[in-house]
Amino acid sequence: MKRPLYLLVTLLLIASGTLYGQKDSSAKARGALVLTYVKRPVLPPTEGDPTAEAADELYLLYIIGNQAAATLQRDAVVRDSILYPSGSDACLTDLSTGSYMRRDESTILGGPYLITGCRKYKWDLTDETKVIGGMNCSKVRPTDREKPVLWIADDLPVSAGPVGLTGLPGAVVSMRWGDHTYSLRGVTTDPGISGIAFTKEGKPCTEEQYEAIVDEILGPLLENGGSMEIGGGTIRIVQ
């Protein structure tokens, strides 16, 4: 996204009262903001791998009031101005608390599951900066945590990020989570979405319970020196 476009987006955000993290002084409901990312596998597909057909996909992050919903573009269904995110990448986040609910459809794990957790990190700015897509960006990492490390736009005040991240000091421009990277492609203001309806279908569990299920079912597959990466609804066994 070139600098002139970024400036235009910022002006549009101010005009429509969608600078999230700030209170809107008008009685009019705030419009929605959509960040579009390219979701890309870190590891190249290999022959015989069930994820071999995986390729770059568009990943959407909707922000409406104090809610953020993430879904792949192909799984974003809009009816009567209501967003219905679906698929294993669907995630609904409460920006005020950092709590989230995400869906995982992995049949190998006995899904679908509705997984709850909280990712309201505190973030530390590093001394590293660079220009990405015409935007000045800073490298940040969560306080007292090893991951994720990501790049944020210094002047785009969006507190939500992909995969349910909250409390950010700016919009995520580039990050890695699990075995995928997320790169900001563009920003859309006022897309005509007034609400989010998240699925209630799936077995409820916490993130910790889900990790225990993963260990129980996939643990035997890793006994021969393999490793496992989980992210964005994808599980990859690497020998």
Side-chain angles (χ1 to χ4, degrees):
M1 183 165 58
K2 301 301 183 183
R3 192 69 179 184
L5 176 58
Y6 156 70
L7 292 174
L8 176 60
V9 167
T10 302
L11 290 174
L12 287 172
L13 288 173
I14 295 173
S16 59
T18 52
L19 281 176
Y20 291 91
Q22 300 182 7
K23 293 183 179 179
D24 184 2
S25 59
S26 70
K28 183 179 179 180
R30 291 178 294 179
L33 180 70
V34 182
L35 281 69
T36 301
Y37 292 87
V38 175
K39 180 183 177 184
R40 178 170 298 162
V42 173
L43 299 176
T46 57
E47 186 176 353
D49 190 331
T51 63
E53 296 182 359
D56 294 357
E57 296 184 275
L58 291 183
Y59 178 93
L60 305 179
L61 175 64
Y62 290 80
I63 304 176
I64 307 175
N66 284 325
Q67 289 187 313
T71 183
L72 290 177
Q73 184 183 52
R74 58 179 168 83
D75 294 328
V77 179
V78 177
R79 295 193 300 269
D80 298 325
S81 299
I82 303 298
L83 170 69
Y84 296 84
S86 62
S88 282
D89 285 81
C91 181
L92 180 66
T93 306
D94 184 331
L95 300 182
S96 61
T97 64
S99 60
Y100 67 86
M101 176 179 291
R102 68 182 183 89
R103 180 175 168 87
D104 192 304
E105 298 179 344
S106 303
T107 55
I108 191 174
L109 298 176
Y113 291 97
L114 284 180
I115 306 161
T116 55
C118 184
R119 291 184 182 139
K120 192 172 185 178
Y121 299 156
K122 293 183 178 180
W123 302 90
D124 292 329
L125 286 171
T126 71
D127 295 330
E128 296 184 59
T129 61
K130 66 179 177 180
V131 177
I132 303 175
M135 293 181 290
N136 294 321
C137 299
S138 297
K139 195 174 187 179
V140 300
R141 66 177 71 242
T143 304
D144 301 326
R145 290 177 183 260
E146 295 182 359
K147 66 176 186 178
V149 175
L150 46 89
W151 293 88
I152 59 127
D154 294 339
D155 300 318
L156 191 56
V158 175
S159 64
V163 299
L165 297 178
T166 62
L168 290 158
V172 173
V173 176
S174 177
M175 65 172 279
R176 175 176 175 175
W177 186 275
D179 57 355
H180 288 85
T181 60
Y182 298 81
S183 302
L184 183 63
R185 168 72 63 85
V187 179
T188 302
T189 61
D190 196 17
I193 305 300
S194 61
I196 304 168
F198 198 72
T199 179
K200 296 181 180 179
E201 297 180 358
K203 304 172 185 176
C205 65
T206 64
E207 197 71 61
E208 292 75 16
Q209 291 170 331
Y210 177 76
E211 291 176 359
I213 293 170
V214 171
D215 289 340
E216 179 181 0
I217 296 177
L218 298 184
L221 300 177
L222 307 176
E223 293 179 353
N224 295 325
S227 62
M228 176 174 58
E229 290 188 347
I230 303 177
T234 299
I235 300 175
R236 181 190 293 267
I237 306 297
V238 182
Q239 296 294 336

